[in-house]
Amino acid sequence: MSMDSDISRFRTDGFLVLEGFVSAGACRDLMDRAAQLIQTFEPGDHPSIFTTHEQRRHTDRYFLDSASNISFFLEEDACDAAGRLVVPRERAVNKIGHAQHDLDPVYGAFSRTGDLGDLARRLGFADPLLLQSMHIFKNPEIGGEVTCHQDSTFLYTEPMTCVGFWFALEDATLENGCLQAIPGGHRAGLKSRFRRNGDDVRFETLDETPWPMEALVPLEVPQGTLIVLDGLLPHFSAANRSDKSRQAYTLHVIERGARYAADNWLQRDPALPLLGFDA
Ligand code: FE2
């Protein structure tokens, strides 16, 4: 398939699946690096739980500071009521975020390749900035659901320019909680914003219409696949109750010339300015 038809499909569907975009070796390097970083993390210091169930969205200082560092978020089911880990630390982590693409050389090398910079330009970016990175573990048996959402809810610019690059570091299947998306759902507009006021962050509903969950299509993909997601595309992933992990790495990009909302949760430390693919 030619790149032009890929781009036109992306405009129509709001997502694009590119199998074999990265090598198995690159995927393994990133998973090895994550395992190393997890060994340095002391869960007792920061029992920060990640959940996407709205009423319980975790918005403490540790979360807000993660805009500019490498932070570790735990699964909802990884701790007891007193905050003690009830599963091995390797299984407890939900995700690592949100600035490892700028702070860690292994993540930096994975995130800044010529292929990815070229793709961003073909997608229409004039001057793309790497805003946020997440290593998502979706560990066996404990990996939690991510409720249906649009990434522009969290990473809002005017005009809306957020695009997500979602890399399958391992095979993603319905069994282990692959990505699911609503084809064309990006054309229905933004349903909510996640707005920050000081240290408080909450959802503001813009459109009450419920997601047509029956329209979700599973995106089962092999290791090394890149899925490009329009910031307005509704997507979801189920909990992983299987015995296989489903690690993924995501990178979110915005256009430098767009106005970045001052009330987005993610506000980078001015000492760590956003950079492009050529940095
Ligand atoms: Fe997302």
Side-chain angles (χ1 to χ4, degrees):
M1 186 189 291
S2 79
M3 196 34 93
D4 281 355
S5 66
D6 277 354
I7 300 303
S8 94
R9 173 168 291 200
F10 176 70
R11 300 272 174 251
T12 303
D13 292 343
F15 66 91
L16 183 61
V17 178
L18 299 170
E19 279 193 28
F21 193 89
V22 290
S23 70
C27 293
R28 277 195 300 272
D29 287 349
L30 214 63
M31 292 190 286
D32 288 348
R33 182 61 182 149
Q36 282 177 352
L37 291 175
I38 286 172
Q39 290 310 316
T40 69
F41 156 65
E42 281 307 323
D45 299 345
H46 309 286
S48 200
I49 310 289
F50 182 77
T51 171
T52 63
H53 299 107
E54 297 193 11
Q55 303 78 354
R56 303 172 58 190
R57 173 67 67 137
H58 206 73
T59 56
D60 63 9
R61 177 46 63 182
Y62 185 74
F63 168 70
L64 295 173
D65 287 349
S66 72
S68 308
N69 66 29
I70 303 176
S71 292
F72 302 81
F73 298 90
L74 303 181
E75 288 292 350
E76 238 180 315
D77 297 337
C79 296
D80 63 16
R84 286 180 298 254
L85 282 186
V86 295
V87 298
R89 145 204 309 240
E90 298 73 32
R91 285 239 187 149
V93 178
N94 169 288
K95 68 174 178 179
I96 301 176
H98 291 92
Q100 58 262 37
H101 59 288
D102 285 329
L103 295 172
D104 182 85
V106 179
Y107 282 96
F110 190 98
S111 305
R112 289 187 170 86
T113 64
D115 286 350
L116 205 51
D118 288 348
L119 175 59
R121 277 178 281 279
R122 291 198 189 96
L123 290 166
F125 281 97
D127 195 355
L129 293 176
L130 280 57
L131 175 62
Q132 158 186 289
S133 47
M134 295 190 283
H135 190 125
I136 302 162
F137 292 88
K138 204 66 113 166
N139 274 313
E141 294 163 6
I142 192 170
E145 173 187 78
V146 175
T147 54
C148 196
H149 69 279
Q150 298 162 302
D151 293 338
S152 288
T153 287
F154 304 95
L155 306 172
Y156 182 74
T157 66
E158 288 177 350
M160 282 185 270
T161 59
C162 175
V163 166
F165 295 112
W166 188 101
F167 298 91
L169 301 178
E170 299 180 288
D171 295 347
T173 64
L174 267 175
E175 188 193 13
N176 67 2
C178 66
L179 211 53
Q180 302 193 39
I182 300 176
H186 62 306
R187 283 176 268 140
L190 187 64
K191 273 203 195 302
S192 69
R193 281 200 54 205
F194 191 54
R195 301 183 71 167
R196 175 170 175 179
N197 180 5
D199 283 359
D200 185 48
V201 193
R202 56 187 63 192
F203 287 94
E204 176 191 40
T205 301
L206 306 172
D207 171 2
E208 299 277 357
T209 322
W211 296 114
M213 298 293 280
E214 68 287 351
L216 282 167
V217 170
L219 305 178
E220 296 191 283
V221 296
Q223 181 186 52
T225 301
L226 166 60
I227 302 179
V228 185
L229 299 162
D230 187 298
L232 281 166
L233 184 77
H235 58 284
F236 159 88
S237 69
N240 182 8
R241 298 295 175 232
S242 79
D243 59 3
K244 296 181 188 68
S245 61
R246 193 234 66 186
Q247 294 193 41
Y249 177 63
T250 69
L251 190 64
H252 285 87
V253 172
I254 54 170
E255 180 62 47
R256 185 189 292 272
R259 195 186 70 83
Y260 188 74
D263 60 357
N264 280 337
W265 81 267
L266 192 161
Q267 299 295 329
R268 281 268 287 233
D269 183 337
L272 190 69
L274 297 179
L275 299 170
F277 284 101
D278 301 323

